[in-house]
């Protein structure tokens, strides 16, 4: 099995190690009243000022648009034309 390095996956250049992410998730999962959003890692630091002032729903929309712009859907191919006669 091959291992990936951050250079192989450009979207993960600021990724946090799995153990650190797991510890944070475990802590959040056991919190009686968790916040709507948590940040983890340097690449998420830009969301902190926005999250303080924007409602959670608006922040969700901004993050969804950001995700779509970095991960566009592949172009769909047109359906093949029918060459036979209708039956």
């Amino acid at each position: 099995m091959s291992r990936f390095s951050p250079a192989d996956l450009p979207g993960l250049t600021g990724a946090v190690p799995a153990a650190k992410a797991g510890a944070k998730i475990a802590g959040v999962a056991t919190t009686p009243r968790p916040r709507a959003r948590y940040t983890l890692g340097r690449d998420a630091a830009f969301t902190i000022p926005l999250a303080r002032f924007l409602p959670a729903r608006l922040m969700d929309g901004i993050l969804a648009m950001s995700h779509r712009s970095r991960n566009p859907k592949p172009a769909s191919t047109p359906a093949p034309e029918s060459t036979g006669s209708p039956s």
Side-chain angles (χ1 to χ4, degrees):
M1 173 184 260
S2 66
R3 294 190 150 212
F4 290 103
S5 72
D8 297 332
L9 303 169
L12 297 178
T13 55
V16 174
K20 185 174 180 179
K24 177 95 174 204
I25 292 168
V28 170
T30 58
T31 300
R33 292 188 53 148
R35 298 188 313 250
R37 184 168 292 99
Y38 290 84
T39 58
L40 183 64
R42 292 177 309 199
D43 55 341
F46 81 93
T47 63
I48 294 170
L50 290 176
R52 285 187 181 141
F53 300 108
L54 299 178
R57 281 186 150 184
L58 181 57
M59 193 64 194
D60 289 342
I62 291 169
L63 292 173
M65 287 188 325
S66 171
H67 178 73
R68 281 193 299 265
S69 68
R70 286 183 284 141
N71 302 300
K73 290 183 180 179
S76 60
T77 56
E81 292 186 27
S82 174
T83 56
S85 62
S87 24

